[in-house]
Amino acid sequence: MLFVAVIVDVLIPPEFSVFPLLVAAPVLAAPVYSLPGTIATGVVTELLGMAMGYTKGNVALTEYFVRFATIAVLTVLAALLNRAMARDRRQLKDTREVAEAVQRAVLPIPPARVGPLDVASRYRAAAREAAIGGDLYAIRPTPDGVRMMIADVRGKGLGAVRIVNRLLGVFYEAAAHIPDLTDAVDLLEELMQRIDAEEAGPESFATAVLIDVPNDGSALYIVNLGHPAPLLVHRGRASPLEPSAPSLPLGLGDLGRPRVPVDRYALPPDATLVLFTDGLVEARDRHGTFYDPVPFLSRPLPTAPGVILDALIADLTRYTEGHLEDDAALMAVARLPDAPNDAHKARSHTCGVAQQCQAR
């Protein structure tokens, strides 16, 4: 700004003044520079203003005083603005750090190996706010394999965190004691109904995907409750594992929902399953176009879950230029090469006696 003002002052006729352009420099410096930098900009502006008035030779003494006082006042205001903005930035940083700490406490990083699976997870917070989100993932070994869940609770803040915490507690309990996947869904539905009865606010619900994997890691038994379909990445192709029939999210079962279908998919040894919340697929580029992870994942990629998630997040960051509108939770799993071979026993336990699995 100062450089432009000097150039313009040299080029324009003497009867014109660049003083209005010059005095804006301290205010423009306030959000960019530190406090010493903002004050230094004001001092340099003061000196240039006096010098340009002197070289022009057409500035009266009273105008010198007005110029001096104007720049001095604006420099003081710019310094106060700089301090206020710095304080707000510190408070936002502290708030984000607290939110991240709470998020890590409620949603710990799962171990790298769970049963027959290699596991990785990532959490990408939205850029627009520091509020704690309702995105969650969980994975637990069961007597017959592994159970995992990814879900997205409606809303943000402490209310969403309380629901996330309660959902995780019920999920872990069900993984240990309830072998039937649809019975586990019923238990989670009962919890969401209780939460709605206890709270007088808007109706709570959560989209979710629950998956059982047998001990040999050869199959996926999936219940999808209104959530984005997981992607099976295999040999350069990403395939959405869509449910055989749509199901309402958790908390909306009182609107009328039959027993949820359980769909069965094979999990090849060299495949990776990628699960995510809608923050991924609702991310937009500068033109407002939604992000689609399928094209990126439909290319030769390593099967390591952590590598795939890191590459996917890097592509998402490039696509959105680093600006997410909503949190995105991601989890990926792949079969370990030393998984035991006990497929028949695991399948019979996972499906349950009264349940018919949909083979896909």
Side-chain angles (χ1 to χ4, degrees):
M1 174 64 72
L2 295 175
F3 180 76
V4 172
V6 171
I7 296 299
V8 172
D9 185 70
V10 171
L11 296 177
I12 66 174
E15 60 269 17
F16 293 96
S17 173
V18 296
F19 182 73
L21 180 65
L22 187 66
V23 296
V27 178
L28 294 177
V32 179
Y33 298 142
S34 63
L35 179 60
T38 301
I39 295 174
T41 302
V43 171
V44 173
T45 302
E46 192 80 78
L47 295 175
L48 282 176
M50 298 300 102
M52 285 191 289
Y54 178 79
T55 56
K56 288 285 185 179
N58 61 345
V59 179
L61 182 62
T62 55
E63 186 172 345
Y64 269 117
F65 176 77
V66 171
R67 289 188 175 194
F68 180 86
T70 300
I71 296 176
V73 169
L74 287 177
T75 300
V76 172
L77 292 177
L80 295 175
L81 176 63
N82 178 276
R83 288 298 82 200
M85 296 181 70
R87 183 177 63 252
D88 290 343
R89 284 193 292 266
R90 286 195 303 270
Q91 290 176 347
L92 180 59
K93 181 176 180 291
D94 292 343
T95 302
R96 284 178 174 165
E97 289 176 351
V98 170
E100 290 173 1
V102 173
Q103 198 89 50
R104 287 192 296 269
V106 174
L107 199 64
I109 298 173
R113 173 170 181 162
V114 181
L117 301 177
D118 185 11
V119 181
S121 65
R122 301 290 186 270
Y123 195 100
R124 187 67 185 269
R128 65 178 180 177
E129 56 188 306
I132 306 171
D135 300 52
L136 67 100
Y137 47 71
I139 186 167
R140 268 291 194 270
T142 71
D144 295 286
V146 175
R147 180 169 292 168
M148 68 186 84
M149 175 176 68
I150 191 161
D152 189 357
V153 175
R154 177 180 183 265
K156 283 186 175 290
L158 293 179
V161 171
R162 284 193 293 267
I163 297 175
V164 166
N165 196 41
R166 295 176 69 176
L167 279 173
L168 289 172
V170 171
F171 169 81
Y172 294 143
E173 183 70 17
H177 301 292
I178 299 180
D180 191 284
L181 195 56
T182 55
D183 288 343
V185 171
D186 291 342
L187 200 62
L188 291 167
E189 176 66 33
E190 290 175 9
L191 169 65
M192 294 299 293
Q193 294 290 339
R194 286 200 305 273
I195 291 173
D196 275 341
E198 294 166 3
E199 298 181 2
E203 187 172 33
S204 299
F205 65 87
T207 63
V209 169
L210 281 82
I211 302 176
D212 272 354
V213 181
N215 279 321
D216 68 338
S218 63
L220 303 165
Y221 297 90
I222 303 179
V223 169
N224 191 319
L225 304 163
H227 197 81
L231 297 175
L232 187 65
V233 181
H234 185 221
R235 296 181 179 176
R237 181 182 178 186
S239 304
L241 304 186
E242 299 287 354
S244 57
S247 296
L248 291 171
L250 293 169
L252 302 180
D254 56 342
L255 299 179
R257 178 173 63 195
R259 194 164 178 82
V260 294
V262 179
D263 299 306
R264 181 186 183 276
Y265 294 89
L267 180 61
D270 53 349
T272 303
L273 181 70
V274 178
L275 304 97
F276 48 86
T277 56
D278 60 8
L280 179 74
V281 292
E282 291 182 358
R284 302 170 185 251
D285 64 6
R286 64 172 64 182
H287 306 294
T289 304
F290 290 112
Y291 180 73
D292 183 2
V294 172
F296 176 78
L297 295 176
S298 296
R299 62 179 67 186
L301 291 169
T303 57
V307 175
I308 286 183
L309 291 187
D310 288 339
L312 181 59
I313 289 176
D315 187 63
L316 174 68
T317 302
R318 176 198 59 78
Y319 186 83
T320 62
E321 298 179 349
H323 297 287
L324 282 183
E325 294 298 315
D326 194 8
D327 291 3
L330 302 93
M331 184 165 63
V333 299
R335 286 174 62 180
L336 290 164
D338 58 348
N341 186 10
D342 196 12
H344 178 73
K345 177 182 176 182
R347 171 170 179 162
S348 63
H349 184 82
T350 303
C351 284
V353 177
Q355 180 182 343
Q356 180 65 42
C357 289
Q358 304 288 328
R360 300 289 290 278

